[in-house]
């Protein structure tokens, strides 16, 4: 549990960070809260020669809410997401889901940027970003580009992030006032990744589902946006049969690996249960 | 009369904070401030660091080891392999079970993460870098993972070093992967009872391989002083004196030139009883280099290479009448010991005290037999917060009682009440030969049932089952009852030794002239609070306030010889030694008091903190006064000073017991089990510090929860450890831990000087079957007799699925 040797850099601006990445080449890694990368380095599964720590870049920190538009800086911690009353007022699912990540010590250090950029299918925030249809702001030597969360993830630890680029923020529109939402996560204990988890955001009017988005955590090698399942809910009356159909559609796109949480078929089954429970809870919360 | 000037006996007793007082732990001042001193806190000038290159294979021949690249890492001093240890005859070391274990793999590796090479470097970073660069070439060999195939005719030979040695430490081996067969009881009589029984139940009850996983891992600092020839080792040792003797036997350094120090220890739970390759390698490296060498393992190394627990596969069989009177018990155990037999058991008991498996019941005839086998897994087999193999026995029996209850259609609590040993049968000799010291099981069980309102719980369960059948709920209620009897306090030297070292324990007391004291013991606390509780025993015995008594353990140069702390033996053995040493102090003090009070020895009597003249309590001398007089007044016929030492060889074990009831709610759709309620009644005899007892019970129940619900060191078919880190290995947090309800009855041990029996391990022994019985009971009405631990989400869901309850 001792990492290999590395050099440590702490730039104070995005430009300086991008410059460092450009000059140091592919043996450099960006570190945000360090709660994925540092354990991997301790296990020597990652052996970067240079760590570029973003913690002094103040412009990467904070939650900006402008009308319905929400922008969350990459270095915003999970604890800050939980503590933000402003965010809770317009989009409570983020704080509620962040509270299901690890434990308070980890949430004080772990950031949303690290959580969504690392490409670990066990991380919770990517599915939420997909359910909220967020856009990630990527900055690199070639300038800025925006990539939708639903297009960002390619395989485990492989994302649309190009070499030398830094994910600086996630932006999305707050769901309409009165929307229903839930993040249901089954895990073995505090600090564990999900056996399966489901994020649901929906709106209901006159017992009819107007909008719906469902995304899944840790049941494939990327987070999974469940379009067909979401489609089944839209326009429906959200009865038991529809919910079951949506859960079955969501299960159909899963491809989990067997691990200590159980074999693949169990984790797929739990994904279905989490989808159903998240839909039911979202309906309860919808006004 | 001035009350203040003459406090009553009760007031004076309260001030002593002796036995029965919930005195706060004196250790906590330093622990809560982060000022404990653990092995890894020890820093000595010029100290080097050791780290292991470990096997990636479970079974393979070592073709070559290339150290070149590793030696080139700046700061690397040396790299030891078996070849370097062979000339010193240190490439194998004796285990506590009469086997030998490779210190560094000799020609082949026998389990994944086995120690192959020991890197010594100037700092732990250089050592870790070099470990990565030790090139070991392997030729893979077929592995044995499943103990049930270990003794197949064509099973590969695992232990080539002893392949032709068919006479083992515990009798004849009947296969190259066989370690021993051990049995107790009346086989013929038991077979007859089974044949003639109205009802027989039989079930395979497996207790999976788990690991004690103390918060602090194992480690040591070895320091050889080449000037005076003295080797000092600070280490995470649960038995420092035993380590000194073993170290002397291994190294041939005379025992007076070895000093073993156990500093603060962050939990042991049996994991720190054994001797590990790291200790030997650090000592060898220090002897060679002449500077101190530190070795501290990380969590993954701890979980995958140091001593595991359990891995007992128990086929239990009970014979009974139709009315539920048990007429016989049989059990055969297949015991997976891993690659080396490194169990920590008394020599004559290779399966520990498994023969306590008749438990709390009056069973007329019984037989048990245990076959130990080698597999390609880490060695161990320690008593994880229990006396030797007692929790395995209790688990098997308490599960089997429930299986019998199901078969008979009887309530599990009622079946237990029907078969308990009765109060008037004590001292009771069990069918397997143990003499139970004292007990009142019916009272304990009835108190437990009354407190939880057992009848109401069963009614509620009946309603829940009806609602489930009607489709109104997807949750099943389970009620787990467990009643256990432990056997602890090993033990009488006549039948208990480890490597020939008798299992007595000791206490040495010095009273200072001004009336305070220091007591030194052969035990070592790893969180049990000895500095608090042993002072309380003495406070009551010698009448000095507990706060004026220092308790010191763990330094073999100062402490009297003792066998250490494990198997709930500290209170039964060292606690008794403490009381006996205190009584010697008091006996001398009595003579001094009589002289000073100018009466005959027999005319003074003890009262809390003083000797007073019989019939004239106004004439007295306090222990404080007597201490001063002992040193400073010439007393005819008496030597100056006030000291005593006692080596206590217990006449018998002690037999604590308890009644536990657990209520769970099982979500059949997710497999999630919620503990709604857990009630634990313990009878540990005389209670020294009720608060510490409660803390012990809370800790032990939390470990029981962990074992029953999630802990498992599993291997894949290649012998790779699955989930050997805390990512997967289940250590519950406060969030997963339910609220514990504790209760007690007090039935003192008649043979122990203060009547205490020990409690630290009871909650693990009773807790595991209580949880498991609750989960099994949730499905019992669907015909489930037994489902294997751990009861994690997947396994519970699978059980529901097999019973057709999902979907």
């Amino acid at each position: 549990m001792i990492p290999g040797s590395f050099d440590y850099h702490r730039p104070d601006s995005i430009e300086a960070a991008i410059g460092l990445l450009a000059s140091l080449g592919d043996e450099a890694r960006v570190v945000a809260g360090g709660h994925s990368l540092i354990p991997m380095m301790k296990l020597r599964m990652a052996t970067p020669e240079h760590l570029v720590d973003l913690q002094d870049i103040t412009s990467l920190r904070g939650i900006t809410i402008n009308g319905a538009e929400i922008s969350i800086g990459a270095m915003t911690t999970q604890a800050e997401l939980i503590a933000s009353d402003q965010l809770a007022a317009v989009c409570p699912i983020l704080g509620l889901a962040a509270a299901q990540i690890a434990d308070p010590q980890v949430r004080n250090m772990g950031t949303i940027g690290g959580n969504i950029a690392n490409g670990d299918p066990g991380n919770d925030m990517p599915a939420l970003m997909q359910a909220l249809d967020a856009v990630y702001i990527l900055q690199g030597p070639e300038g800025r580009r925006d990539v939708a969360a639903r297009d960002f993830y390619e395989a485990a630890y492989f994302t649309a992030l190009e070499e030398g680029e830094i994910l600086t923020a996630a932006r999305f529109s707050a769901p309409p006032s009165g929307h229903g939402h839930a993040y249901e996560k089954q895990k073995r204990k505090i600090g564990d990744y999900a056996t399966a988890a489901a994020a649901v955001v929906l709106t209901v009017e006159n017992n009819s589902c107007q909008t719906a988005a469902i995304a899944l955590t840790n049941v494939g090698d990327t987070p999974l946006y469940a379009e067909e399942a979401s489609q089944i809910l839209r326009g429906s009356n959200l009865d038991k049969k529809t919910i079951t159909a949506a859960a079955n559609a969501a299960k159909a796109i899963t491809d989990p690996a067997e691990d200590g949480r159980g074999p693949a078929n169990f984790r797929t089954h739990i994904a279905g249960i989490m989808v159903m429970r998240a839909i039911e809870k979202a309906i309860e919360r919808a006004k | 009369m001035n009350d203040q000037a003459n406090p009553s006996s009760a007031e004076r007793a309260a001030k002593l904070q002796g036995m029965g007082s919930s005195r706060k732990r004196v250790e906590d001042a330093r622990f809560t401030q982060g000022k404990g001193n653990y092995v890894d806190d020890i820093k000595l000038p010029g100290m080097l660091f050791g780290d292991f290159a470990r096997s990636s294979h479970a079974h393979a021949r070592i073709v070559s080891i290339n150290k070149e690249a590793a030696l080139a890492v700046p700061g690397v001093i040396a790299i030891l392999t078996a070849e370097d240890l062979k000339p010193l005859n240190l490439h194998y070391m004796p285990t506590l079970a009469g086997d030998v274990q490779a210190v560094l793999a000799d020609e082949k590796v026998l389990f994944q993460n086995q120690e192959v090479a020991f890197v010594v470097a100037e700092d732990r970073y250089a050592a870790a870098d070099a470990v990565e660069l030790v090139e070991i070439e392997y030729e893979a060999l077929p592995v044995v993972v499943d103990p049930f195939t270990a003794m197949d005719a064509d099973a590969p030979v695992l232990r080539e070093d002893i392949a032709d040695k068919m006479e083992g430490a515990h009798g004849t081996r009947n296969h190259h992967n066989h370690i021993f067969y051990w049995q107790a009881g009346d086989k013929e009589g038991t077979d007859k009872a089974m044949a003639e029984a109205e009802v027989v139940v039989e079930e395979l009850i497996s207790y999976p391989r788990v690991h004690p996983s103390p918060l602090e891992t194992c480690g040591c600092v070895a320091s050889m002083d080449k000037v005076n020839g003295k080797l000092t080792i600070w280490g995470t040792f649960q038995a420092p004196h035993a380590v000194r003797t073993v170290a002397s036997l291994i190294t041939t350094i005379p025992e007076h030139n070895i000093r073993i120090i156990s500093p603060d220890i962050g939990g042991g739970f049996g994991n720190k009883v054994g001797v590990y390759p790291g200790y030997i390698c650090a000592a060898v490296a220090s002897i060679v280099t002449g500077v101190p060498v530190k070795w501290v393992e990380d969590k993954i190394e701890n979980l995958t290479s140091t001593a595991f627990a359990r891995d007992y596969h128990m086929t239990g069989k009970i014979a009974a009448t139709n009315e539920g009177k048990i007429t016989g018990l049989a059990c055969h155990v297949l015991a997976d010991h891993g690659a080396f037999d490194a169990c920590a058991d008394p020599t004559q008991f290779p399966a520990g005290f498994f023969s306590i498996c008749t438990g709390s019941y009056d069973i007329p005839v019984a037989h048990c037999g245990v076959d130990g086998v080698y597999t390609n897994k880490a060695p161990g087999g320690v008593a994880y917060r229990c006396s030797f193999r007692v929790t395995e026995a209790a688990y098997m029996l308490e599960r089997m009682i429930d299986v019998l209850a199901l078969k008979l259609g009887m309530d599990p609590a009622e079946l237990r009440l029907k078969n308990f040993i009765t109060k008037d049968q004590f001292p009771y000799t069990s069918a397997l030969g143990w003499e139970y010291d004292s007990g009142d099981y019916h009272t304990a069980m009835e108190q437990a049932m009354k407190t939880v309102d057992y009848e109401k719980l069963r009614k509620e369960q009946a309603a829940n089952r009806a609602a489930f059948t009607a489709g109104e709920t997807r949750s099943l209620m389970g009620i787990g009852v467990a009643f256990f009897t432990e056997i602890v306090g090993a033990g009488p030297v006549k039948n208990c030794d480890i490597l020939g070292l008798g299992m007595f324990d000791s206490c040495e007391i010095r009273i200072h002239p001004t009336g305070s004291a220091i007591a030194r013991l052969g035990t070592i606390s790893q969180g049990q609070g000895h500095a608090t509780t042993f002072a309380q025993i003495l406070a009551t015995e010698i009448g000095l306030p507990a706060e004026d008594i220092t308790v010191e353990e763990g330094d073999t140069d100062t402490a009297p010889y003792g066998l250490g702390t494990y198997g709930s033996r500290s209170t039964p053995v060292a606690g008794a030694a403490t009381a006996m040493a205190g009584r010697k102090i008091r006996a001398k003090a009595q003579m001094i008091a009589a002289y000073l009070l100018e009466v005959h020895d027999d005319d003074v009597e003890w009262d809390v903190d003083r000797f007073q003249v019989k019939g004239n309590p106004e004439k007295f001398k306090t222990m404080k006064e007597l201490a001063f007089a002992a040193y400073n007044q010439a007393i005819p016929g008496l030597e100056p000073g006030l000291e005593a030492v006692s080596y206590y060889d217990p006449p018998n074990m002690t037999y604590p017991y308890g009644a536990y009831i657990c209520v769970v709610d099982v979500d059949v759709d997710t497999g999630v089990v919620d503990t709604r309620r857990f009630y634990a009644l313990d009878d540990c005899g005389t209670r020294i510090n009720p608060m510490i007892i409660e803390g012990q019970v809370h800790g032990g129940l939390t470990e029981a929860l962990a074992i029953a619900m999630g802990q498992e060191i599993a291997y894949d078919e290649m012998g790779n450890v699955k989930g050997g880190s805390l990512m997967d290995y289940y250590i519950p947090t406060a969030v997963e831990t339910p609220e514990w309800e504790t209760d007690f009855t007090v039935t003192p041990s008649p043979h122990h000087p203060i009547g205490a029996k020990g409690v630290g391990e009871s909650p693990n022994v009773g807790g595991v079957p209580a949880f498991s019985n609750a989960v099994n009971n949730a499905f019992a009405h669907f015909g489930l007799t037994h489902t294997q631990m751990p009861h994690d989400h997947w396994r519970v869901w699978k059980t529901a699925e097999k019973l057709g309850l999902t979907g």
Side-chain angles (χ1 to χ4, degrees):
Chain A
M1 292 297 278
I2 292 174
S5 69
F6 57 88
D7 287 335
Y8 177 79
H9 309 267
R10 197 194 275 197
D12 58 7
S13 71
I14 296 170
E15 294 71 29
I18 291 168
L20 271 170
L21 290 181
S23 63
L24 297 170
D26 61 1
E27 290 306 328
R29 284 287 301 268
V30 161
V31 63
H35 278 68
S36 297
L37 184 57
I38 305 281
M40 299 221 348
M41 288 169 63
K42 287 184 172 183
L43 293 166
R44 297 196 180 220
M45 288 161 73
T47 52
E49 289 173 12
H50 299 274
L51 274 192
V52 179
D53 188 337
L54 303 181
Q55 66 175 299
D56 278 357
I57 307 175
T58 48
S59 63
L60 290 179
R61 199 175 285 271
I63 303 163
T64 312
I65 301 177
N66 191 355
E69 293 309 303
I70 301 172
S71 175
I72 302 177
M75 290 300 287
T76 308
T77 63
Q78 311 293 356
E80 287 163 349
L81 293 180
I82 295 167
S84 171
D85 293 338
Q86 267 187 304
L87 186 63
V90 294
C91 188
I93 192 174
L94 276 184
L96 293 173
Q100 297 183 56
I101 296 173
D103 53 54
Q105 287 98 323
V106 172
R107 296 196 291 260
N108 284 336
M109 293 298 290
T111 64
I112 188 166
N115 198 290
I116 60 182
N118 197 36
D120 184 338
N123 287 349
D124 294 287
M125 283 293 160
L128 284 149
M129 292 294 122
Q130 293 189 332
L132 292 165
D133 199 11
V135 167
Y136 297 159
I137 313 302
L138 315 181
Q139 294 196 45
E142 313 292 317
R144 169 186 156 168
R145 64 193 181 104
D146 297 357
V147 178
R150 293 176 188 176
D151 300 328
F152 183 74
Y153 300 95
E154 294 165 357
Y157 305 103
F158 285 91
T159 66
L161 202 64
E162 297 285 347
E163 201 174 292
E165 279 185 328
I166 296 172
L167 189 156
T168 57
R171 292 186 183 171
F172 54 93
S173 303
S177 158
H179 71 276
H181 61 86
Y183 187 63
E184 287 291 295
K185 177 181 181 181
Q186 182 161 335
K187 59 190 174 189
R188 295 170 297 179
K189 61 173 176 177
I190 290 298
D192 194 18
Y193 290 128
T195 303
V200 171
V201 178
L202 51 72
T203 52
V204 186
E205 225 167 85
N206 302 323
N207 289 327
S208 167
C209 177
Q210 304 298 306
T211 64
I214 300 173
L216 311 172
T217 297
N218 213 22
V219 282
D221 65 357
T222 65
L224 299 171
Y225 173 60
E227 171 55 26
E228 194 189 332
S230 310
Q231 188 60 45
I232 289 170
L233 295 187
R234 291 178 204 133
S236 79
N237 64 356
L238 295 170
D239 61 1
K240 186 84 198 159
K241 210 174 136 194
T242 311
I243 294 171
T244 306
N248 286 336
K251 279 161 73 175
I253 63 167
T254 64
D255 185 20
E258 170 167 356
D259 64 13
R261 296 163 190 85
N265 71 333
F266 171 64
R267 298 185 59 198
T268 292
H269 162 78
I270 294 300
I273 299 287
M274 292 299 108
V275 168
M276 285 198 276
R277 290 185 181 180
I279 295 170
E280 282 158 7
K281 194 180 266 186
I283 295 169
E284 268 173 45
R285 284 174 174 164
K287 292 183 196 107
Chain B
M1 191 179 97
N2 184 335
D3 270 358
Q4 268 183 309
N6 298 295
S8 70
S9 296
E11 285 165 338
R12 285 183 277 120
K15 281 199 174 140
L16 296 179
Q17 290 201 295
M19 285 192 281
S21 156
S22 280
R23 181 185 183 220
K24 285 188 176 164
R25 284 163 42 103
V26 297
E27 296 90 342
D28 289 347
R30 69 176 187 279
F31 292 146
T32 55
Q33 294 178 60
K35 295 200 171 135
N37 184 40
Y38 298 90
V39 165
D40 211 9
D41 293 320
I42 293 166
K43 294 179 177 70
L44 301 177
M47 187 170 75
L48 303 175
F49 291 80
D51 200 352
F52 283 110
R54 294 174 178 275
S55 168
S56 51
H57 287 257
H59 193 200
R61 208 163 294 289
I62 297 173
V63 178
S64 66
I65 301 175
N66 185 346
K67 309 175 183 176
E68 220 171 289
L71 280 169
V73 173
V76 171
I77 307 290
I79 297 172
L80 300 176
T81 64
E83 292 306 312
D84 302 306
L85 297 179
K86 269 182 192 171
L88 308 167
N89 202 25
L90 284 175
H91 57 310
Y92 278 92
M93 61 180 184
T95 70
L96 298 181
D99 196 358
V100 292
Q101 176 177 346
V103 173
L104 291 170
D106 179 28
E107 293 172 22
K108 72 174 191 172
V109 292
L110 284 160
F111 64 95
Q112 191 182 50
N113 277 4
Q114 186 177 348
E115 301 82 359
V116 179
F118 189 68
V119 174
V120 183
E122 285 170 359
D123 61 58
R124 53 177 36 138
Y125 301 95
D129 285 346
V131 161
E132 294 285 302
L133 297 173
V134 176
E135 292 168 26
I136 308 161
E137 193 188 334
Y138 296 101
E139 178 193 322
L141 296 169
V143 299
V144 177
V145 175
D146 179 0
F148 286 92
T149 65
M151 293 206 288
D152 285 356
D154 59 350
V157 178
L158 303 189
R159 290 290 300 280
E160 288 169 10
D161 59 314
I162 54 164
D164 51 4
K165 194 181 156 211
M166 296 314 282
E167 207 50 42
H170 310 289
T172 306
R173 308 194 302 133
N174 55 34
H175 182 277
H176 51 258
N177 294 332
H178 190 226
I179 307 173
F180 64 84
Y181 176 71
W182 178 86
Q183 63 176 327
D186 174 1
K187 175 102 173 57
E188 206 178 312
T190 307
D191 288 347
K192 189 161 170 278
M194 294 293 163
E196 293 171 357
E198 291 170 356
V199 177
V200 175
V201 286
E202 182 174 349
E203 209 75 43
L204 170 64
I205 311 280
S206 279
Y207 199 138
R209 174 175 284 235
V210 294
H211 192 282
S213 191
L215 189 55
E216 177 205 27
T217 61
C218 299
C220 72
V221 177
S223 180
M224 183 72 192
D225 184 333
K226 291 212 171 185
V227 175
N228 63 16
K230 185 149 185 165
L231 174 66
T232 303
I233 306 177
W234 291 261
T236 48
F237 305 128
Q238 288 183 236
H241 284 96
V243 169
R244 186 183 71 189
T245 301
V246 172
S248 176
L249 294 171
I250 293 175
T251 61
T252 68
I253 297 171
E255 213 165 340
H256 73 283
N257 263 347
I258 299 177
R259 180 181 183 189
I260 303 294
I261 302 172
S262 293
D264 282 330
I265 297 183
F269 313 115
N271 182 238
K272 293 168 180 170
V273 173
V275 176
Y276 295 121
Y279 305 154
I280 309 285
C281 289
V284 169
S286 181
I287 290 167
V288 171
T289 60
V291 290
V293 177
K294 177 185 278 186
W295 166 73
V296 177
E297 60 179 2
D298 67 28
K299 274 284 172 194
I300 292 175
E301 291 176 301
N302 179 251
L303 278 173
T304 59
S305 71
T306 53
F308 75 92
R310 327 299 193 225
D311 219 344
Y312 255 35
H313 306 275
M314 306 171 280
T315 304
K317 207 170 171 183
I318 298 184
T321 65
N322 286 326
E323 288 72 43
K325 189 75 196 147
I326 298 172
T327 54
L329 171 85
C331 184
H332 179 264
V333 182
L334 183 65
D336 184 341
H337 285 233
F340 304 96
D341 186 13
C343 276
D345 290 316
T347 304
Q348 293 177 38
F349 300 96
F353 302 147
F354 186 80
S355 53
I356 194 70
C357 63
T358 55
S360 318
Y361 312 105
D362 184 18
I363 301 178
V365 64
H367 178 263
C368 68
V370 181
D371 275 300
V373 296
Y374 291 121
T375 60
N376 289 118
K377 299 180 193 170
V382 294
Y384 169 7
R385 203 178 185 137
C386 69
S387 190
F388 314 101
R389 301 296 187 184
V390 171
T391 191
E392 289 93 328
Y395 180 62
M396 182 279 297
L397 179 64
E398 288 304 292
R399 277 274 50 245
M400 288 306 298
I401 296 288
D402 268 26
V403 172
L404 177 63
L406 187 65
K407 174 101 171 183
L408 293 168
M410 269 179 84
D411 182 89
E414 188 195 338
L415 179 60
R416 285 173 170 84
L417 283 164
K418 191 163 196 158
N419 287 285
F420 279 150
I421 299 160
T422 59
K423 190 179 171 181
D424 55 10
Q425 283 177 286
F426 289 95
Y428 171 86
T429 303
S430 75
L432 295 175
W434 297 109
E435 191 187 305
Y436 292 27
D437 56 353
S438 63
D440 181 356
Y441 299 161
H442 285 92
T443 297
M445 190 69 189
E446 280 155 12
Q447 184 171 322
M449 291 170 71
K450 189 164 169 255
T451 310
V452 302
D453 199 343
Y454 184 75
E455 208 179 318
K456 192 176 160 201
L457 284 174
R458 286 293 178 197
K459 278 185 189 151
E460 193 185 339
Q461 184 181 40
N464 162 263
R465 288 174 172 183
F468 186 90
T469 308
E472 292 158 14
T473 178
R474 298 290 292 154
S475 177
L476 286 171
M477 179 177 170
I479 302 168
V481 177
F483 196 102
F484 64 93
T485 295
E486 273 196 287
I487 171 170
V488 306
V493 172
K494 64 178 187 280
N495 58 7
C496 287
D497 70 274
I498 287 186
L499 293 179
L501 309 173
M503 296 181 76
F504 60 84
D505 228 291
S506 58
C507 176
E508 181 189 282
I509 303 169
R510 288 184 199 170
I511 311 293
H512 306 314
T514 52
S516 60
I518 182 165
R520 294 189 170 106
L521 293 93
T523 44
I524 175 70
S525 187
Q526 307 123 38
Q528 291 88 340
H530 289 177
T532 307
T533 50
F534 288 137
Q536 290 181 255
I537 294 174
L538 273 181
T540 297
E541 291 291 343
I542 64 175
L544 295 175
E547 64 184 7
D548 292 345
I549 302 167
T550 299
V551 173
E552 208 179 83
E553 303 173 300
D555 183 340
T556 57
D557 264 12
T558 58
Y561 203 100
L563 264 277
T565 295
Y566 44 87
S568 279
R569 65 185 301 281
S570 294
T571 294
V573 192
T578 304
M580 297 309 270
R583 287 171 196 182
K584 288 183 186 178
I585 296 278
R586 215 162 77 187
K588 183 170 180 184
Q590 181 168 5
M591 290 189 266
I592 299 169
Y595 172 79
L596 296 176
L597 293 166
E598 299 176 332
V599 293
H600 190 268
D601 288 359
D602 294 341
D603 291 332
V604 293
E605 62 186 3
W606 177 252
D607 183 55
V608 182
D609 58 352
R610 62 189 58 182
F611 279 104
Q612 61 197 22
V613 175
K614 282 181 185 168
N616 189 4
E618 252 82 296
K619 281 193 74 183
F620 63 85
K621 290 287 172 189
T622 65
M623 189 53 118
K624 212 172 154 107
E625 293 169 321
L626 295 169
F628 198 80
Y631 284 94
N632 301 312
Q633 192 160 348
I635 297 169
L638 285 181
E639 287 179 4
L642 195 52
E643 298 186 5
V645 58
S646 171
Y647 284 80
Y648 187 79
D649 178 10
N652 190 4
M653 314 281 188
T654 59
Y655 296 78
Y657 60 91
Y660 290 4
I661 296 173
C662 171
V663 184
V664 299
D665 295 297
V666 178
D667 181 335
V668 295
D669 289 326
T670 60
V672 173
V673 178
D674 274 330
T675 306
R676 188 198 305 182
R677 188 166 185 191
F678 199 106
Y679 167 90
L681 179 150
D682 277 285
D683 192 321
C684 59
T686 303
R687 291 156 59 84
I688 299 164
N689 181 323
M691 185 174 67
I692 285 187
I693 290 171
E694 200 173 340
Q696 286 270 32
V697 172
H698 283 205
L701 288 176
T702 306
E703 281 180 331
L705 167 81
I707 292 168
M709 299 305 181
Q711 292 192 339
E712 186 185 22
I713 300 288
Y715 290 78
D716 70 12
E717 67 278 10
M718 301 292 291
N720 299 307
V721 187
K722 296 202 285 184
S725 84
L726 296 187
M727 281 281 286
D728 285 296
Y729 194 69
Y730 184 61
I731 307 283
T733 71
V735 174
E736 288 81 34
T737 305
E739 190 176 327
W740 308 115
E741 295 172 57
T742 60
D743 200 353
F744 62 95
T745 53
V746 177
T747 310
S749 169
H751 64 75
H752 188 279
I754 58 169
K757 290 186 169 185
V759 75
E761 304 177 328
S762 295
N764 195 321
V765 173
V768 174
F771 276 112
S772 189
N773 280 350
V775 174
N776 277 282
N777 180 255
F779 298 103
H781 57 307
F782 294 109
L784 179 75
T785 52
H786 179 69
T787 185
Q788 299 291 8
M789 288 195 295
H791 304 301
D792 56 19
H793 301 167
W794 168 60
R795 285 182 175 86
V796 172
W797 175 77
K798 197 174 66 168
T799 297
E801 192 194 32
K802 277 188 186 165
L803 293 169
L805 307 177
T806 58

